[in-house]
Amino acid sequence: MKHKPIFITATNTHVGKTYATVKLIEDLSQKGLKVGVMKPIETGVVTSPEDGVLLFETAKKYNLDLASLTLSDIVPYAFELPAAPYVAKGRRRIDLEKLQKAYATIEALSDIVLIEGAGGLLVPIEEDVYMYDFIRLFDARVLLVGHDRLGCINDILLNLHLLDSLGVSDYEWCVNFKDNRVDFEKTALPFLKKLFGHVLSLQEDRPKIIKSLVHF
């Protein structure tokens, strides 16, 4: 059975998109799904795209069909400058049709494809294309990963407001606890629980996240 892809984004860079994607590869594979993975654009690439390599190697452990692909299928665009794609690409233009073809190749070998974004939703790709445009480009559900540091309330709410304003309703969000959970529970959890009733943890609540995003 084919499932809609999941676009993994975050409230900013270095929040945990790759970590979340790896964990979802493992969890969904254990549920018997053939999981494909894609990192459409990776910047800060000196020799090879580190995030793309990790995702590809992890996915190939479970989905043997992916062995017929190459790293350039998984990461169609890689740029050396660690900046937004709009800047890192220089004069090159990101060909969205090329990305769609790469996705189709991966999707044909998979039950579900996980697509990891670069940076956050408002990272510019072209003058008129932003990272959030990948949601519609791939007709994907969305997982938003938030950080646990001071300021996370503002960052999470801004991103949820953006998704709502874009008309995106098929999404889930969670917090990646990587810094100081004790401080988070004191400074952010009370408001977030009051507003939403619950806060999903990437570490503990992946079964709930998967249930929300993958309709078995």
Side-chain angles (χ1 to χ4, degrees), residues 1-45:
M1 178 180 176
K2 295 286 186 178
H3 297 269
K4 291 185 69 171
I6 301 174
F7 180 67
I8 294 94
T9 187
T11 53
N12 211 317
T13 190
H14 300 307
V15 169
K17 292 186 299 296
T18 303
Y19 171 77
T21 307
V22 166
K23 291 301 180 183
L24 289 179
I25 292 170
E26 296 170 348
D27 292 351
L28 290 168
S29 297
Q30 290 169 8
K31 287 183 172 293
L33 295 182
K34 293 167 60 177
V35 182
V37 70
M38 182 180 184
K39 175 93 175 181
I41 305 171
E42 185 165 342
T43 63
V45 177

Coordinates of all heavy atoms in Angstrom, one line a residue, residues 1-45:
M1 N 0.8 -1.2 0.0 CA 0.0 0.0 0.0 C 0.9 1.3 0.0 O 1.8 1.4 0.8 CB -0.9 0.0 1.2 CG -1.8 1.3 1.3 SD -2.8 1.2 2.8 CE -3.6 2.8 2.7
K2 N 0.6 2.2 -0.9 CA 1.3 3.4 -1.0 C 0.8 4.4 0.0 O -0.5 4.5 0.2 CB 1.3 4.0 -2.4 CG 2.0 3.1 -3.4 CD 3.5 3.2 -3.3 CE 4.1 2.5 -4.5 NZ 5.6 2.5 -4.4
H3 N 1.6 5.2 0.6 CA 1.3 6.2 1.6 C 1.8 7.6 1.1 O 2.8 7.7 0.4 CB 1.8 6.0 3.0 CG 1.3 4.7 3.6 ND1 0.2 4.6 4.3 CD2 1.8 3.4 3.5 CE1 0.0 3.4 4.7 NE2 0.9 2.6 4.2
K4 N 1.1 8.7 1.5 CA 1.6 10.0 1.1 C 2.9 10.2 1.8 O 3.2 9.8 2.9 CB 0.6 11.1 1.6 CG -0.7 11.1 0.8 CD -1.6 12.2 1.3 CE -1.0 13.6 0.8 NZ -2.0 14.7 1.1
P5 N 3.8 11.0 1.1 CA 5.1 11.3 1.7 C 5.0 12.2 2.9 O 3.9 12.8 3.1 CB 5.9 12.0 0.5 CG 4.8 12.6 -0.3 CD 3.6 11.6 -0.2
I6 N 6.0 12.2 3.7 CA 6.1 13.1 4.9 C 7.3 14.0 4.6 O 8.4 13.6 4.4 CB 6.3 12.3 6.2 CG1 5.1 11.3 6.4 CG2 6.4 13.3 7.3 CD1 5.3 10.4 7.6
F7 N 7.0 15.3 4.7 CA 8.0 16.4 4.6 C 8.4 16.7 6.0 O 7.6 17.2 6.8 CB 7.4 17.6 3.9 CG 8.4 18.7 3.7 CD1 9.5 18.5 2.9 CD2 8.2 19.9 4.4 CE1 10.5 19.6 2.8 CE2 9.1 20.9 4.2 CZ 10.2 20.8 3.4
I8 N 9.7 16.5 6.4 CA 10.2 16.8 7.7 C 10.9 18.1 7.7 O 11.9 18.4 7.0 CB 11.2 15.7 8.2 CG1 10.4 14.4 8.4 CG2 11.8 16.1 9.5 CD1 10.5 13.5 7.2
T9 N 10.3 19.1 8.5 CA 10.9 20.4 8.6 C 11.1 20.7 10.1 O 10.8 19.9 10.9 CB 10.0 21.4 7.9 OG1 10.6 22.7 7.9 CG2 8.7 21.6 8.6
A10 N 11.7 21.9 10.3 CA 11.9 22.3 11.7 C 11.8 23.8 11.9 O 11.7 24.5 10.9 CB 13.3 21.8 12.2
T11 N 11.8 24.2 13.1 CA 11.7 25.7 13.4 C 12.9 26.4 13.0 O 12.9 27.7 12.9 CB 11.3 25.9 14.8 OG1 12.3 25.2 15.7 CG2 9.9 25.4 15.2
N12 N 14.0 25.7 12.8 CA 15.3 26.4 12.3 C 16.3 25.3 12.0 O 15.9 24.1 12.0 CB 15.8 27.3 13.4 CG 16.6 28.5 12.8 OD1 17.3 28.3 11.8 ND2 16.3 29.7 13.3
T13 N 17.5 25.7 11.6 CA 18.5 24.7 11.3 C 19.1 24.1 12.6 O 19.0 24.7 13.7 CB 19.6 25.3 10.5 OG1 20.5 24.3 10.0 CG2 20.4 26.4 11.3
H14 N 19.6 22.9 12.6 CA 20.2 22.3 13.7 C 19.2 22.0 14.8 O 19.6 22.0 16.0 CB 21.4 23.1 14.3 CG 22.5 23.3 13.3 ND1 23.1 22.2 12.5 CD2 23.1 24.4 12.8 CE1 24.0 22.7 11.7 NE2 24.1 24.0 11.9
V15 N 18.0 21.8 14.5 CA 17.0 21.5 15.5 C 16.8 19.9 15.6 O 16.5 19.4 16.7 CB 15.6 22.2 15.2 CG1 14.5 21.6 16.0 CG2 15.8 23.7 15.3
G16 N 16.9 19.2 14.5 CA 16.8 17.8 14.6 C 16.1 17.1 13.4 O 15.5 16.0 13.6
K17 N 16.1 17.7 12.3 CA 15.4 17.1 11.1 C 15.9 15.8 10.7 O 15.2 14.8 10.5 CB 15.4 18.1 9.9 CG 14.7 19.4 10.1 CD 14.7 20.2 8.8 CE 16.0 20.6 8.3 NZ 16.7 21.5 9.3
T18 N 17.3 15.7 10.6 CA 17.9 14.5 10.2 C 17.7 13.4 11.2 O 17.4 12.2 10.9 CB 19.4 14.7 9.9 OG1 19.6 15.7 8.9 CG2 20.0 13.4 9.4
Y19 N 17.9 13.7 12.5 CA 17.6 12.8 13.6 C 16.2 12.3 13.5 O 16.0 11.0 13.6 CB 17.9 13.5 14.9 CG 17.5 12.7 16.1 CD1 18.3 11.6 16.6 CD2 16.3 13.0 16.8 CE1 17.9 10.8 17.7 CE2 16.0 12.2 17.9 CZ 16.8 11.2 18.4 OH 16.4 10.4 19.4
A20 N 15.3 13.2 13.3 CA 13.9 12.7 13.3 C 13.6 11.8 12.1 O 12.9 10.8 12.2 CB 13.0 14.0 13.2
T21 N 14.2 12.2 10.9 CA 14.0 11.4 9.7 C 14.6 10.0 9.9 O 14.0 9.0 9.5 CB 14.6 12.1 8.5 OG1 14.1 13.4 8.4 CG2 14.3 11.3 7.2
V22 N 15.8 9.9 10.5 CA 16.4 8.6 10.7 C 15.5 7.7 11.6 O 15.3 6.5 11.4 CB 17.8 8.7 11.4 CG1 18.3 7.4 11.9 CG2 18.8 9.3 10.3
K23 N 15.0 8.3 12.7 CA 14.1 7.6 13.6 C 12.9 7.1 12.9 O 12.4 6.0 13.2 CB 13.8 8.4 14.8 CG 15.0 8.7 15.8 CD 15.6 7.3 16.3 CE 16.8 7.5 17.2 NZ 17.3 6.2 17.6
L24 N 12.3 7.9 12.1 CA 11.1 7.5 11.3 C 11.4 6.4 10.3 O 10.6 5.5 10.1 CB 10.5 8.7 10.6 CG 9.8 9.8 11.5 CD1 9.3 10.9 10.7 CD2 8.7 9.2 12.4
I25 N 12.6 6.5 9.7 CA 13.0 5.4 8.8 C 12.9 4.1 9.6 O 12.4 3.1 9.1 CB 14.4 5.6 8.2 CG1 14.4 6.8 7.2 CG2 14.9 4.4 7.5 CD1 15.8 7.2 6.8
E26 N 13.6 4.1 10.7 CA 13.6 2.9 11.6 C 12.3 2.4 12.0 O 11.9 1.2 11.9 CB 14.6 3.1 12.8 CG 16.0 3.4 12.4 CD 16.8 3.9 13.5 OE1 16.3 4.2 14.6 OE2 18.1 4.0 13.4
D27 N 11.5 3.3 12.5 CA 10.2 2.9 13.1 C 9.2 2.4 12.0 O 8.5 1.4 12.1 CB 9.5 4.1 13.8 CG 10.3 4.5 15.0 OD1 11.2 3.8 15.5 OD2 10.0 5.6 15.6
L28 N 9.2 3.1 10.8 CA 8.2 2.7 9.8 C 8.7 1.4 9.1 O 7.9 0.6 8.7 CB 8.2 3.9 8.7 CG 7.4 5.1 9.2 CD1 7.6 6.3 8.2 CD2 5.9 4.9 9.4
S29 N 10.0 1.2 9.1 CA 10.5 0.0 8.5 C 10.1 -1.2 9.4 O 9.8 -2.3 8.9 CB 12.1 0.0 8.4 OG 12.4 1.0 7.4
Q30 N 10.2 -1.0 10.7 CA 9.8 -2.0 11.6 C 8.3 -2.4 11.6 O 7.9 -3.4 12.0 CB 10.2 -1.6 13.1 CG 11.7 -1.6 13.3 CD 12.1 -1.0 14.6 OE1 11.2 -0.6 15.4 NE2 13.4 -0.8 14.8
K31 N 7.5 -1.4 11.0 CA 6.1 -1.7 10.8 C 5.9 -2.4 9.4 O 4.7 -2.6 9.1 CB 5.3 -0.4 10.8 CG 5.2 0.2 12.3 CD 4.3 1.4 12.3 CE 4.0 1.9 13.7 NZ 3.2 0.9 14.4
G32 N 6.9 -2.7 8.7 CA 6.8 -3.5 7.5 C 6.7 -2.6 6.3 O 6.5 -3.2 5.2
L33 N 6.9 -1.3 6.4 CA 6.9 -0.5 5.2 C 8.3 -0.4 4.5 O 9.3 -0.4 5.2 CB 6.4 0.9 5.6 CG 5.0 1.1 6.1 CD1 4.7 2.5 6.4 CD2 4.0 0.5 5.1
K34 N 8.3 -0.3 3.2 CA 9.5 0.0 2.5 C 9.6 1.5 2.4 O 8.9 2.2 1.7 CB 9.4 -0.6 1.1 CG 9.4 -2.1 1.0 CD 9.0 -2.7 -0.3 CE 10.0 -2.2 -1.4 NZ 9.6 -2.8 -2.7
V35 N 10.6 2.0 3.1 CA 10.8 3.5 3.3 C 11.8 4.0 2.3 O 12.9 3.5 2.3 CB 11.1 3.8 4.7 CG1 11.2 5.3 4.9 CG2 10.1 3.2 5.7
G36 N 11.4 5.0 1.6 CA 12.4 5.8 0.7 C 12.7 7.1 1.4 O 12.0 7.5 2.3
V37 N 13.8 7.7 1.0 CA 14.2 9.0 1.6 C 14.8 9.9 0.6 O 15.3 9.5 -0.4 CB 15.2 8.7 2.8 CG1 16.5 8.2 2.2 CG2 15.4 9.9 3.7
M38 N 14.6 11.2 0.8 CA 15.1 12.2 -0.1 C 15.4 13.5 0.6 O 14.8 13.9 1.6 CB 14.0 12.5 -1.1 CG 14.4 13.5 -2.2 SD 13.0 13.8 -3.4 CE 13.7 14.8 -4.6
K39 N 16.6 14.0 0.2 CA 17.0 15.3 0.7 C 17.1 16.2 -0.5 O 18.2 16.2 -1.1 CB 18.3 15.2 1.5 CG 18.9 16.6 2.0 CD 18.5 16.9 3.4 CE 19.2 18.2 3.8 NZ 18.8 18.6 5.2
P40 N 16.1 16.9 -1.0 CA 16.1 17.6 -2.3 C 17.3 18.5 -2.4 O 17.9 18.6 -3.5 CB 14.8 18.3 -2.3 CG 13.9 17.6 -1.4 CD 14.8 17.1 -0.3
I41 N 17.7 19.3 -1.4 CA 18.8 20.2 -1.4 C 19.6 20.1 -0.1 O 19.0 20.2 1.0 CB 18.3 21.7 -1.6 CG1 17.3 21.8 -2.8 CG2 19.4 22.6 -1.7 CD1 16.6 23.1 -2.9
E42 N 20.9 20.0 -0.2 CA 21.7 20.1 0.9 C 22.8 21.1 0.7 O 23.5 21.1 -0.4 CB 22.3 18.7 1.3 CG 23.1 18.7 2.6 CD 23.4 17.4 3.2 OE1 22.7 16.4 2.7 OE2 24.3 17.2 4.0
T43 N 23.0 22.0 1.6 CA 24.1 23.0 1.5 C 25.2 22.7 2.6 O 25.0 21.8 3.5 CB 23.6 24.4 1.7 OG1 23.0 24.6 3.0 CG2 22.5 24.7 0.7
G44 N 26.3 23.4 2.5 CA 27.4 23.1 3.4 C 28.1 21.8 3.1 O 28.7 21.2 3.9
V45 N 28.1 21.4 1.8 CA 28.6 20.2 1.3 C 30.1 20.4 0.8 O 30.2 21.1 -0.2 CB 27.8 19.5 0.2 CG1 28.4 18.2 -0.3 CG2 26.4 19.2 0.8

